Amino acid sequence: MGFNNPRLPWSSTPYAELHCHSNFSFLDGASHPEELVEEGSRLGLEALALTDHDGMYGVVRFAQAASAVGLPTVFGAELSLGLTKPQNGRADPEGRHLLVLARDPVGYGRLCRSISAAQLAGKEKGKPEFGFPPTNAEARAGKPDEPVFSLSALAEAAGGHWLVLTGCRKGTVPAALTAEGPAAAARQLADLVVAFGRDNVAVELWDHGDPLDSARNDALVEVALRQGVEVVATNNVHYSVPARRPLATALAAVRARRSLDEIDGWLPPAGTAHLRSGAEQARRFARYPGVVERAAAFGRDCAFDLKLVAPRLPDYPVPAGHTEMSWLRVLTEQGATRRYGPREAERVAGAYAQIDHELALIDQLGFPGYFLIVWDIVEFCRRSDIFCQGRGSAANSAVCYALGITNADAVSLGLLFERFLSPERDGPPDIDVDIESDRREEAIQYVYGRYGRENAAQVANVITYRPRSAVRDMGKA
């Protein structure tokens, strides 16, 4: 993969951290992805996973930071499982977690689709934190919709492309162990094995210095050995270095809407949920030979570059006898005739030569469907008398002008097409289309209806605290 991560003297034991939350696990993780990458690289980790709660929000920043320092990246998420249908008279308790790592780009895509489906299905409100009853304000206002994951749906989606870990104290197996004992934990582990396959499940151990950690880990190892399931060490990381622990504590208080005094008894007693070197993990897990090295092996096997993940557009419904490219040529020729006159008598010198050049490059890069979809949306707006206008670097394209997407004549103005699209640019072109705000919803619904809701999405912004709000909420805690 071309990664070069020189090992430091204290990292003689190979190790990869497979369970790590950033601050994109809102009010839970206390370090930015860049901080985690910096510390992981300093410790000489074989790989680092980002496993935020119920989403892949921080993966781009994580991947970019890791690429800059040569740290292999693993992508995953910690999924929140709700109540499930009883099995053999049993039901999974509410709010259990499942840690999923993508083994490859295919697994990444399947995980993203599963998260999107669960987020769309989420309707739960008002769930309290840390076992506290909801406050009156919480009961009145409720909490944001939460995703709804089904273990059976996740098992169907995985297809052997995920590595599933049993997770933290709220994981199905550790939680059953704590609540009901080893027999219940064994049943939960058996369910995971049936759902995902024995080779795709590993029992996770972590040691934060709690007096009960060793007893729990001993019991988890025994359950795993009885069922022939691999055991792996993590540190269930929530911040990069020990110095971030006070911030993590304050964030937990804000999340629970309680003061630090009220929440103190529910929090870990020490700042141990930070990144650790292989040597330190080897000392902590010396009684379980191989679990640290196995984390490194899993990390190497699951690591890949995020650039290998490329979205695939839905197929554009072209008329019979046409490909996307041939139909784009037809539409462009028709539009160019309106804009520039016929090919043999063009009103702007060089217009058709430029159009032919652009179409050849669009064909070479495999983007005809993208242009057809944007043209289709613009045409819908035109037919519906909805004001819309393409803008940005797309104005440098004679093809966009011919298709009616933009209204700037790139040829007459001498604009450079390669500023918009060229072989040297990463990813697909970006055509921005402004649509009048009062009727934008009509265009959105047209896209959903035309291409299917599972093939269309709205861009999500990460909303950050303004200083006044941050100070106010921290002050309450």
Coordinates of all heavy atoms in Angstrom, one line a residue, residues 84-147:
T84 N -34.4 -6.2 20.0 CA -34.6 -7.1 18.9 C -35.7 -8.1 19.3 O -36.2 -8.2 20.4 CB -33.3 -7.9 18.6 OG1 -33.0 -8.6 19.8 CG2 -32.2 -6.9 18.3
K85 N -36.2 -8.8 18.3 CA -37.2 -9.8 18.5 C -36.6 -10.9 19.4 O -35.5 -11.3 19.3 CB -37.7 -10.4 17.2 CG -38.4 -9.5 16.3 CD -38.9 -10.1 15.1 CE -39.6 -9.2 14.2 NZ -40.1 -9.8 12.9
P86 N -37.4 -11.4 20.4 CA -36.9 -12.5 21.3 C -36.5 -13.7 20.5 O -37.1 -14.1 19.5 CB -38.1 -12.8 22.1 CG -39.0 -11.6 22.0 CD -38.8 -11.0 20.7
Q87 N -35.4 -14.3 20.9 CA -34.9 -15.5 20.3 C -34.8 -16.6 21.4 O -34.1 -16.4 22.4 CB -33.5 -15.3 19.7 CG -33.5 -14.3 18.6 CD -32.1 -14.0 18.0 OE1 -31.2 -14.5 18.5 NE2 -32.1 -13.2 17.0
N88 N -35.5 -17.7 21.2 CA -35.5 -18.7 22.3 C -36.0 -18.1 23.6 O -35.4 -18.5 24.7 CB -34.2 -19.4 22.4 CG -33.7 -20.0 21.1 OD1 -34.6 -20.6 20.4 ND2 -32.4 -20.0 20.8
G89 N -36.9 -17.3 23.6 CA -37.5 -16.7 24.8 C -36.6 -15.5 25.3 O -37.0 -15.0 26.4
R90 N -35.6 -15.1 24.6 CA -34.7 -14.0 25.1 C -34.9 -12.8 24.2 O -35.2 -12.9 23.0 CB -33.2 -14.4 25.1 CG -32.9 -15.6 26.0 CD -31.5 -16.0 25.9 NE -31.2 -16.6 24.6 CZ -30.5 -16.1 23.6 NH1 -30.1 -14.9 23.8 NH2 -30.3 -16.8 22.5
A91 N -34.6 -11.7 24.7 CA -34.5 -10.4 23.9 C -33.2 -9.7 24.2 O -32.8 -9.6 25.4 CB -35.7 -9.6 24.1
D92 N -32.6 -9.1 23.2 CA -31.4 -8.3 23.5 C -31.8 -7.0 24.2 O -32.8 -6.4 23.9 CB -30.7 -7.9 22.1 CG -30.1 -9.1 21.4 OD1 -29.8 -10.0 22.1 OD2 -30.0 -9.0 20.2
P93 N -31.1 -6.6 25.2 CA -31.4 -5.4 26.0 C -31.2 -4.2 25.1 O -30.5 -4.2 24.1 CB -30.4 -5.4 27.2 CG -29.3 -6.3 26.7 CD -29.9 -7.3 25.8
E94 N -32.0 -3.1 25.5 CA -31.9 -1.9 24.7 C -30.6 -1.2 24.7 O -29.9 -1.3 25.7 CB -33.0 -0.9 25.2 CG -33.2 0.3 24.4 CD -34.2 1.2 25.0 OE1 -34.7 0.9 26.1 OE2 -34.6 2.2 24.4
G95 N -30.2 -0.6 23.6 CA -29.0 0.2 23.6 C -27.7 -0.5 23.5 O -26.7 0.0 23.9
R96 N -27.7 -1.8 23.0 CA -26.4 -2.5 23.0 C -25.6 -2.1 21.7 O -26.2 -1.6 20.7 CB -26.7 -4.0 22.9 CG -27.3 -4.5 24.2 CD -26.4 -4.4 25.4 NE -27.0 -4.8 26.6 CZ -27.1 -4.0 27.7 NH1 -26.7 -2.8 27.7 NH2 -27.6 -4.5 28.8
H97 N -24.3 -2.3 21.8 CA -23.4 -1.8 20.7 C -22.8 -3.0 19.9 O -22.7 -4.1 20.5 CB -22.3 -1.0 21.3 CG -22.8 0.3 21.8 ND1 -21.9 1.2 22.4 CD2 -24.0 0.9 21.8 CE1 -22.6 2.3 22.8 NE2 -23.9 2.1 22.5
L98 N -22.5 -2.7 18.7 CA -21.8 -3.7 17.8 C -20.7 -2.9 17.1 O -21.0 -2.0 16.4 CB -22.7 -4.4 16.9 CG -22.2 -5.5 16.1 CD1 -21.9 -6.7 17.0 CD2 -23.1 -5.9 14.9
L99 N -19.4 -3.3 17.2 CA -18.3 -2.7 16.6 C -18.1 -3.4 15.2 O -17.8 -4.6 15.2 CB -17.1 -2.7 17.4 CG -15.9 -1.8 17.0 CD1 -16.3 -0.4 17.2 CD2 -14.6 -2.2 17.6
V100 N -18.1 -2.6 14.1 CA -18.0 -3.2 12.8 C -16.8 -2.5 12.1 O -16.7 -1.2 12.1 CB -19.3 -3.0 12.0 CG1 -19.0 -3.4 10.5 CG2 -20.4 -3.8 12.6
L101 N -15.9 -3.3 11.5 CA -14.8 -2.8 10.8 C -14.9 -3.2 9.3 O -15.2 -4.4 9.1 CB -13.4 -3.2 11.3 CG -13.1 -2.9 12.8 CD1 -11.8 -3.5 13.2 CD2 -13.1 -1.4 13.0
A102 N -14.7 -2.3 8.4 CA -14.8 -2.7 7.0 C -13.5 -3.4 6.6 O -12.4 -2.9 6.9 CB -15.0 -1.5 6.1
R103 N -13.5 -4.6 6.0 CA -12.3 -5.3 5.6 C -11.8 -4.7 4.3 O -10.6 -4.9 4.0 CB -12.7 -6.8 5.4 CG -12.9 -7.6 6.7 CD -13.1 -9.0 6.3 NE -13.3 -9.9 7.5 CZ -12.3 -10.4 8.3 NH1 -11.0 -10.1 7.9 NH2 -12.5 -11.1 9.3
D104 N -12.6 -4.0 3.5 CA -12.1 -3.6 2.2 C -13.1 -2.5 1.7 O -14.1 -2.2 2.4 CB -12.1 -4.8 1.2 CG -13.4 -5.6 1.2 OD1 -14.5 -5.0 1.4 OD2 -13.3 -6.8 1.0
P105 N -12.8 -1.9 0.5 CA -13.8 -0.9 0.0 C -15.2 -1.3 -0.1 O -16.1 -0.6 0.1 CB -13.1 -0.4 -1.3 CG -11.7 -0.7 -1.1 CD -11.6 -1.9 -0.3
V106 N -15.4 -2.6 -0.5 CA -16.7 -3.1 -0.7 C -17.4 -3.1 0.7 O -18.6 -2.7 0.8 CB -16.7 -4.6 -1.3 CG1 -18.1 -5.2 -1.2 CG2 -16.2 -4.5 -2.7
G107 N -16.7 -3.6 1.7 CA -17.3 -3.6 3.1 C -17.6 -2.2 3.5 O -18.6 -1.9 4.3
Y108 N -16.8 -1.2 3.2 CA -17.0 0.2 3.5 C -18.3 0.7 2.9 O -19.2 1.3 3.6 CB -15.9 1.1 3.0 CG -16.0 2.5 3.3 CD1 -15.4 3.1 4.4 CD2 -16.7 3.4 2.4 CE1 -15.5 4.5 4.6 CE2 -16.8 4.7 2.6 CZ -16.2 5.3 3.7 OH -16.3 6.6 4.0
G109 N -18.5 0.4 1.6 CA -19.8 0.8 1.0 C -21.0 0.1 1.6 O -22.0 0.8 1.9
R110 N -20.9 -1.1 2.0 CA -22.0 -1.8 2.6 C -22.3 -1.3 4.0 O -23.4 -1.2 4.4 CB -21.7 -3.3 2.7 CG -21.6 -4.0 1.4 CD -21.4 -5.5 1.5 NE -21.3 -6.1 0.1 CZ -21.8 -7.3 -0.1 NH1 -22.3 -8.1 0.9 NH2 -21.7 -7.8 -1.3
L111 N -21.2 -0.9 4.7 CA -21.4 -0.3 6.1 C -22.1 1.0 5.9 O -23.0 1.3 6.7 CB -20.1 -0.2 6.8 CG -20.1 0.4 8.2 CD1 -21.1 -0.4 9.1 CD2 -18.7 0.4 8.8
C112 N -21.7 1.8 5.0 CA -22.3 3.2 4.8 C -23.8 3.0 4.5 O -24.6 3.8 5.0 CB -21.5 3.9 3.7 SG -19.9 4.5 4.2
R113 N -24.1 2.1 3.6 CA -25.5 1.9 3.2 C -26.3 1.4 4.4 O -27.5 1.9 4.6 CB -25.6 0.9 2.0 CG -25.2 1.5 0.7 CD -25.6 0.6 -0.4 NE -24.9 -0.7 -0.4 CZ -23.7 -0.9 -1.0 NH1 -23.1 0.1 -1.6 NH2 -23.1 -2.1 -1.0
S114 N -25.8 0.6 5.2 CA -26.5 0.1 6.4 C -26.7 1.2 7.4 O -27.8 1.3 7.9 CB -25.7 -1.0 7.1 OG -25.6 -2.2 6.2
I115 N -25.7 2.1 7.6 CA -25.9 3.2 8.5 C -27.0 4.2 7.9 O -27.8 4.7 8.7 CB -24.6 3.9 8.7 CG1 -23.6 3.0 9.5 CG2 -24.8 5.2 9.4 CD1 -22.2 3.6 9.6
S116 N -26.9 4.4 6.6 CA -27.9 5.4 6.0 C -29.3 4.8 6.2 O -30.2 5.6 6.6 CB -27.6 5.6 4.5 OG -26.4 6.2 4.4
A117 N -29.5 3.5 6.0 CA -30.8 2.9 6.1 C -31.3 3.0 7.5 O -32.5 3.3 7.8 CB -30.8 1.5 5.6
A118 N -30.4 2.8 8.5 CA -30.8 2.8 9.9 C -31.1 4.2 10.3 O -32.0 4.5 11.1 CB -29.7 2.2 10.8
Q119 N -30.3 5.2 9.8 CA -30.6 6.6 10.2 C -32.0 7.0 9.7 O -32.7 7.8 10.3 CB -29.5 7.5 9.6 CG -28.1 7.3 10.2 CD -28.0 7.9 11.6 OE1 -28.9 8.4 12.2 NE2 -26.8 7.8 12.2
L120 N -32.3 6.6 8.4 CA -33.6 7.0 7.9 C -34.7 6.4 8.7 O -35.8 6.9 8.8 CB -33.7 6.6 6.4 CG -32.8 7.4 5.4 CD1 -32.8 6.7 4.1 CD2 -33.4 8.8 5.3
A121 N -34.5 5.2 9.2 CA -35.5 4.5 10.0 C -35.6 5.0 11.4 O -36.6 4.6 12.1 CB -35.3 3.0 10.0
G122 N -34.7 5.8 11.9 CA -34.6 6.1 13.3 C -35.7 7.0 13.8 O -36.0 8.1 13.2
K123 N -36.4 6.6 14.8 CA -37.5 7.4 15.3 C -37.5 7.6 16.8 O -38.4 8.2 17.4 CB -38.9 6.8 14.9 CG -39.1 6.8 13.4 CD -39.2 8.1 12.8 CE -39.4 8.1 11.3 NZ -39.3 9.4 10.7
E124 N -36.6 7.0 17.5 CA -36.6 6.9 18.9 C -36.2 8.3 19.5 O -35.3 9.0 19.1 CB -35.5 5.9 19.4 CG -35.5 5.8 20.9 CD -34.4 4.8 21.4 OE1 -33.7 4.2 20.5 OE2 -34.3 4.6 22.6
K125 N -36.9 8.7 20.5 CA -36.7 10.0 21.2 C -36.7 9.8 22.7 O -37.3 8.9 23.3 CB -37.7 11.0 20.8 CG -37.7 11.5 19.4 CD -38.7 12.6 19.2 CE -38.7 13.1 17.7 NZ -37.5 13.9 17.5
G126 N -35.9 10.6 23.4 CA -36.0 10.7 24.8 C -35.3 9.7 25.6 O -35.6 9.5 26.8
K127 N -34.3 9.0 25.0 CA -33.6 7.9 25.7 C -32.6 8.6 26.7 O -31.8 9.4 26.3 CB -32.9 7.0 24.8 CG -32.3 5.8 25.5 CD -31.7 4.8 24.5 CE -30.4 5.3 24.0 NZ -29.7 4.3 23.1
P128 N -32.7 8.3 28.0 CA -31.8 9.0 28.9 C -30.3 8.4 28.8 O -30.1 7.3 28.3 CB -32.4 8.6 30.3 CG -33.1 7.3 30.0 CD -33.6 7.4 28.6
E129 N -29.4 9.2 29.3 CA -28.0 8.8 29.3 C -27.6 8.2 30.7 O -28.1 8.7 31.7 CB -27.1 10.0 29.0 CG -27.3 10.6 27.6 CD -26.6 9.8 26.6 OE1 -25.9 8.9 26.9 OE2 -26.8 10.1 25.4
F130 N -26.7 7.3 30.7 CA -26.1 6.7 31.9 C -27.1 6.2 32.9 O -26.9 6.1 34.1 CB -25.2 7.8 32.6 CG -24.1 8.3 31.9 CD1 -24.0 9.5 31.2 CD2 -23.0 7.4 31.7 CE1 -22.9 9.9 30.5 CE2 -21.9 7.8 31.0 CZ -21.8 9.1 30.4
G131 N -28.3 5.8 32.4 CA -29.3 5.3 33.3 C -30.1 6.3 34.2 O -30.9 5.9 34.9
F132 N -29.7 7.6 34.0 CA -30.5 8.6 34.7 C -31.9 8.7 34.1 O -32.1 8.6 32.9 CB -29.8 10.0 34.6 CG -28.6 10.2 35.4 CD1 -27.4 10.2 34.8 CD2 -28.7 10.3 36.8 CE1 -26.2 10.4 35.6 CE2 -27.6 10.5 37.5 CZ -26.3 10.5 36.9
P133 N -32.9 9.0 34.9 CA -34.2 9.2 34.3 C -34.2 10.5 33.5 O -33.4 11.4 33.8 CB -35.2 9.3 35.5 CG -34.3 9.7 36.6 CD -33.0 9.1 36.3
P134 N -35.0 10.7 32.5 CA -34.9 12.0 31.7 C -35.4 13.1 32.5 O -36.3 13.0 33.4 CB -35.9 11.7 30.5 CG -36.8 10.6 31.0 CD -36.0 9.8 31.9
T135 N -34.8 14.3 32.3 CA -35.3 15.5 33.0 C -36.6 15.9 32.4 O -37.0 15.4 31.3 CB -34.3 16.7 32.8 OG1 -34.2 17.0 31.4 CG2 -32.9 16.3 33.2
N136 N -37.3 16.9 33.0 CA -38.6 17.3 32.5 C -38.4 17.9 31.1 O -39.2 17.8 30.2 CB -39.2 18.4 33.5 CG -39.7 17.7 34.7 OD1 -40.0 16.6 34.8 ND2 -39.7 18.5 35.8
A137 N -37.3 18.7 30.9 CA -37.0 19.3 29.6 C -36.8 18.2 28.6 O -37.2 18.3 27.4 CB -35.8 20.2 29.7
E138 N -36.1 17.2 28.9 CA -35.8 16.1 28.0 C -37.1 15.4 27.6 O -37.4 15.0 26.5 CB -34.9 15.0 28.6 CG -33.4 15.6 28.7 CD -32.6 14.6 29.5 OE1 -33.1 13.8 30.2 OE2 -31.3 14.7 29.4
A139 N -38.0 15.2 28.6 CA -39.2 14.5 28.4 C -40.1 15.3 27.4 O -40.8 14.8 26.6 CB -39.9 14.2 29.7
R140 N -40.1 16.6 27.6 CA -40.9 17.5 26.8 C -40.4 17.6 25.3 O -41.1 17.5 24.4 CB -41.0 18.9 27.4 CG -41.8 19.0 28.6 CD -42.1 20.5 28.9 NE -40.9 21.3 29.0 CZ -40.3 21.5 30.2 NH1 -40.8 20.9 31.3 NH2 -39.2 22.2 30.3
A141 N -39.0 17.8 25.2 CA -38.4 18.1 23.9 C -38.0 16.8 23.2 O -38.0 16.8 22.0 CB -37.2 19.0 24.1
G142 N -37.7 15.7 23.9 CA -37.2 14.5 23.3 C -35.8 14.8 22.8 O -35.2 15.9 22.9
K143 N -35.1 13.8 22.3 CA -33.8 13.9 21.8 C -33.8 13.6 20.3 O -34.8 13.1 19.8 CB -32.9 12.9 22.5 CG -32.7 13.1 24.0 CD -31.8 12.1 24.6 CE -30.4 12.3 24.1 NZ -29.5 11.4 24.8
P144 N -32.8 13.9 19.5 CA -32.8 13.7 18.1 C -33.1 12.2 17.8 O -32.8 11.3 18.5 CB -31.4 14.1 17.7 CG -30.9 15.0 18.8 CD -31.5 14.5 20.0
D145 N -33.7 12.0 16.6 CA -33.9 10.7 16.1 C -32.6 9.9 16.1 O -31.6 10.4 15.8 CB -34.5 10.7 14.7 CG -35.9 11.3 14.7 OD1 -36.4 11.5 15.8 OD2 -36.4 11.5 13.6
E146 N -32.7 8.6 16.5 CA -31.6 7.7 16.6 C -31.7 6.6 15.6 O -32.9 6.2 15.3 CB -31.4 7.2 18.0 CG -31.1 8.3 19.0 CD -30.8 7.8 20.4 OE1 -30.8 6.6 20.6 OE2 -30.7 8.6 21.3
P147 N -30.6 6.1 15.1 CA -30.7 5.0 14.1 C -31.3 3.7 14.6 O -31.2 3.5 15.8 CB -29.3 4.8 13.6 CG -28.5 5.3 14.8 CD -29.2 6.4 15.4

